[in-house]
Amino acid sequence: MKYYSTNNPQHIVSFQEAVLNGLAPDGGLYMPQTIPSLSPDFIASLPSFSKSEIAFTVARPFVDEAISDTDLMKIAEETVAFDFPLISLNPHVHILELFHGPTLAFKDVGARFTARILQHISQQHQKRITVLVATSGDTGSAVAHGFYETNGIDVVILYPKGKVSVMQEKQFATLGKNIHAIAVDGTFDDCQRMVKSAFQDNDLRQTMFLTSANSINIARLLPQSFYYFFAWAALPTKQEVVFSVPSGNFGNLTAGVFAKKMGLPIHGFIAATNSNDVVPQYLETKQFSPRPSVQTISNAMDVGNPSNFARLLELYQNSWDAMTKDITGYSFTDEETQHAMQQVYHTKNYLLDPHGAVAWLGLTRYLKDHPQAQGISFETAHPCKFTEVVEASLHIAPPPHPSLQALLDKPVQSISCPTNFQNLKKILQNLIAR
Ligand SMILES: *Cc1c(COP(=O)(O)O)cnc(C)c1O
C-alpha cells in the first residue's frame, strides 16, 4: 500500500515513510491510495476469529512487506492484549468499553501499535527517532506508556498547562527516562500549532528524526478500525447498526469510516461532540469554520480545528451529500453531559465518563428519529480518570483504580514553555544534544 498527502496526490510514500514523517512535508495528512476490501466471508465469520487475527487481517493490507507476517502478527497481538467488552443497556443501546488498556483510555490501542511499528523501523534502519506529540489529555498518557523505555525512541509531549486533569498529567509527566513532558502556557490548539511548526522547520528536520504519534499519524489511526470489527463480532443481531463516536480530532470516527469502506456493513455514524461543534455545524450547514477551542468537562474533545477532517473529506471525495448520508452530527453542552451521567447512573447503574456520556447522548438523540436502529456508543475512558467531573455530577466518588492510585505520589517532572515556537525549538535541540 502506498500513501499520498491530502495536500498533494502526487506526493507518494511507503507505509514506513508515512509513519516516520507523521505529517507530509507539505503539511498534508497521509492517506492510503485505496481502501482495501476484506472478503465477505471474513466479515460473515468475524465471531470465529480471535482479536489478534482480526487485527492482523485488518492491518495487513495497509502495512508494507518490510514488516513480515510473523512480526505484524506479534504487533497485532500485543496491541490488543486487553478486553473490549460490549455492555447492552437495552436492545438498542450497547456500550463498547475501550478503556481496559494500561492508561484506561482508547488511545492505548493506537499508541501501542505505533510504538511497536516505530520500534521495528528504528531497529531495521538503526535510526534514533524523536516522537513529538500534542495532547489535550489522553493522547499524552497513552503515547508515554506505549513508548516508555522503548530503545531508540525519545518522546516529547506538549500539553496545555492547567487544562488537563491532575490524573492525566500524572500519567504522562511522571515517567521520566525517554519520556519528556512540556507544559505550554496556552491552549491545546497552541500545542498543536507548535508541533506543526516543528515538523515544518528545516533546521530541526536536518538534525533529528522527528515523527508524530497523535491522531495525525497514520499508524495511530489504522488500528482504531480494529474495535469496530470486535464490536460487530460481539453483537447478537446485526441490523441497522450505528456507531456513536465521541469526537475531538476525529481520528476515531475516521477509522470507523475506514472499517465501513473495508466492507463492515455499518449503517452510519454519529459524530458526537461537546460545544466544540465545528463538524456537527459543517454537517448541518455545509460550512466548515474552524475556531479556537473552548474548555469543557470532556476535555479530550476540546478541539477547534479537527485535523482528521481533511481525511474525512478525502474519504467522501469532498462531497457533503455523501458524508451526510453516513454521518449525523450532534453537539451537547456540559449541563447536558452531566445530566446524562446522572440519568444513566440512576436508571442503569452504569457510570459513564464525560466523553462516553456525550456519545450516549448522541446515540439517544439519534434513536429518537430512528427507533428501529441499534447503536454502539463508545466509552472512551474509564470514569475514574475524571474524578472531579464525576463527583461534581453525581456527588459520588468513582471507585479508585489501583494503577491510578499508585501515580498520586509521583512528582510531575515537566519543562515549562511559552506558546512561542522558538522556545520549543531550543528545548528540542538541547534534548538531542545530550
Ligand atoms: C481523544 C479522545 C476522544 C476524541 O477522539 P478523537 O479521535 O480525537 O476524535 C474522546 N474521548 C477520549 C477519552 C479521548 O481521550
Side-chain angles (χ1 to χ4, degrees), residues 106-107 138 246-252 300-301 355 380-381:
F106 83 95
K107 289 191 176 74
D138 280 340
S247 294
N249 249 326
F250 281 79
N252 218 1
M301 313 198 299
H355 306 80
T380 45

Side-chain angles (χ1 to χ4, degrees), residues 129-133 143-144 147 153-157 178-181:
I129 296 173
T130 303
V131 173
L132 184 59
V133 56
V143 169
F147 285 87
I153 301 183
D154 277 306
V155 177
V156 179
I157 297 166
N178 64 327
I179 311 296
H180 316 275

Side-chain angles (χ1 to χ4, degrees), residues 159-161 163 182-187 190-191 194 416-420:
Y159 68 102
K161 193 187 233 158
K163 296 195 174 70
I182 299 186
V184 173
D185 245 325
T187 62
D190 292 322
C191 297
M194 288 163 78
S416 292
C417 182
T419 56
N420 180 329

Side-chain angles (χ1 to χ4, degrees), residues 305-368:
N305 187 7
S307 44
N308 282 295
F309 187 68
R311 287 195 170 115
L312 280 177
L313 283 177
E314 289 291 305
L315 287 165
Y316 291 106
Q317 279 133 15
N318 290 301
S319 160
W320 180 87
D321 289 330
M323 198 190 291
T324 51
K325 253 175 89 184
D326 276 2
I327 308 176
T328 309
Y330 302 114
S331 70
F332 301 95
T333 64
D334 280 355
E335 289 67 37
E336 290 170 309
T337 306
Q338 288 191 310
H339 188 247
M341 290 168 71
Q342 290 160 3
Q343 193 183 340
V344 175
Y345 184 69
H346 292 306
T347 61
K348 298 290 174 188
N349 200 25
Y350 189 88
L351 185 55
L352 287 167
D353 95 293
H355 306 80
V358 169
W360 180 86
L361 278 166
L363 177 55
T364 306
R365 175 70 192 75
Y366 180 89
L367 289 173
K368 271 192 190 149

